[in-house]
Amino acid sequence: RNPLSIINMSVQYIHGKLTPEDPLREFTEAIIEKVNQVDRITKELIDYGRPRELVFRAVDIQRVIDSVLRLAQARARSQGVEIRRNFSRYLPPVKVDVERMNGVFSNLVTNALDAMPEGGHLTVSTKENIDEKRVLVEIGNTGKGIPLRRRVQLFTPFFTTKPDGTGLGLAICQRVVDEHQGSISVESKISGPNKGTRFTVSLPLSLQEKEPSAAKPADEPLATQKAI
């Protein structure tokens, strides 16, 4: 991504030197937009192709979600979308990699806003499943819904319905949630009073210790090469 950063900074510099009336600003703005798009695609490809080691720590998951919603507030307001928080009064701490889980919730919230370009409700709910010792996070929207034929492919890598999408966002979300020993599911209706889509992320309150991998046999000594 370093070449993209250099291109971006260079074009930003040129863009700043142009007067507001300069017709070249139209081209520099287009270049900046496309470079940012390529940078986002590259980041998703890197995240998908080279998973990072997770760093777990116990956190209030509602604070992680709230930080994502605060960043999404400006866009939601511009689209006429009302954000509703149905947070539990008390949730036990959950061990997560904050950066990676922040990415999961950001992706789900962005998808929800994409589904409501003309307004609607974005509802985020949290609750504890005491019997299963899990925390549930539900992110729902009142958009047009997802047909079944597309719903079954949502988590398939490179499947996308967006013109500029990579089809990796939800695939990465699923892998990150799997690495947290959790699960992610989707429900959607394309008609009726409850039309819209809801994603549910389920996270365990405690992580199970991974079994140590079997020891590999020691390498056999290399055969002595014959002198030529």
Side-chain angles (χ1 to χ4, degrees):
R1 297 169 66 195
N2 289 339
L4 288 174
S5 298
I6 294 171
I7 293 171
N8 200 357
M9 288 187 293
S10 300
V11 178
Q12 291 276 9
Y13 175 79
I14 296 171
H15 185 76
K17 292 293 184 180
L18 301 176
T19 63
E21 299 79 18
D22 196 314
L24 291 177
R25 286 179 68 93
E26 178 183 350
F27 296 98
T28 53
E29 288 174 355
I31 294 172
I32 292 169
E33 178 185 350
K34 295 304 178 183
V35 167
N36 288 335
Q37 181 181 348
V38 173
D39 185 67
R40 177 180 58 80
I41 294 172
T42 303
K43 182 179 182 299
E44 289 187 357
L45 287 169
I46 291 173
D47 286 344
Y48 185 76
R50 190 177 63 193
R52 290 176 290 175
E53 184 177 352
L54 304 186
V55 179
F56 293 96
R57 60 187 177 93
V59 298
D60 179 352
I61 200 67
Q62 294 183 148
R63 297 188 66 175
V64 178
I65 300 167
D66 192 59
S67 68
V68 172
L69 294 178
R70 282 189 278 109
L71 290 175
Q73 184 63 59
R75 179 185 172 187
R77 190 181 299 113
S78 69
Q79 293 182 197
V81 173
E82 179 187 351
I83 295 179
R84 298 175 175 176
R85 294 170 171 83
N86 291 337
F87 287 176
S88 173
R89 295 186 64 180
Y90 170 76
L91 278 183
V94 183
K95 278 192 173 183
V96 299
D97 181 299
V98 175
E99 181 181 355
R100 300 294 278 165
M101 196 53 61
N102 185 289
V104 170
F105 295 136
S106 295
N107 188 283
L108 296 178
V109 168
T110 297
N111 286 348
L113 292 175
D114 288 345
M116 300 182 289
E118 299 179 359
H121 299 134
L122 168 60
T123 304
V124 181
S125 305
T126 61
K127 58 184 177 182
E128 180 183 4
N129 185 325
I130 298 177
D131 294 335
E132 297 184 6
K133 297 181 180 180
R134 286 178 170 266
V135 164
L136 304 180
V137 179
E138 298 176 349
I139 299 177
N141 67 72
T142 56
K144 59 184 179 181
I146 306 171
L148 179 60
R149 67 180 184 278
R150 293 181 176 177
R151 207 181 313 154
V152 297
Q153 302 181 71
L154 282 180
F155 299 100
T156 303
F158 304 108
F159 172 79
T160 181
T161 59
K162 301 177 183 178
D164 60 345
T166 63
L168 290 175
L170 288 176
I172 293 172
C173 287
Q174 185 176 52
R175 186 171 65 191
V176 171
V177 173
D178 286 345
E179 291 171 338
H180 282 75
Q181 301 174 15
S183 64
I184 180 170
S185 60
V186 58
E187 300 174 64
S188 189
K189 292 186 177 181
I190 59 176
S191 61
N194 296 321
K195 184 177 70 172
T197 302
R198 181 178 65 202
F199 285 86
T200 301
V201 176
S202 172
L203 297 171
L205 291 177
S206 59
L207 298 174
Q208 299 295 321
E209 292 292 336
K210 293 184 178 180
E211 295 183 2
S213 57
K216 296 181 180 180
D219 294 337
E220 295 181 358
L222 294 175
T224 305
Q225 292 183 343
K226 294 182 179 179
I228 299 176

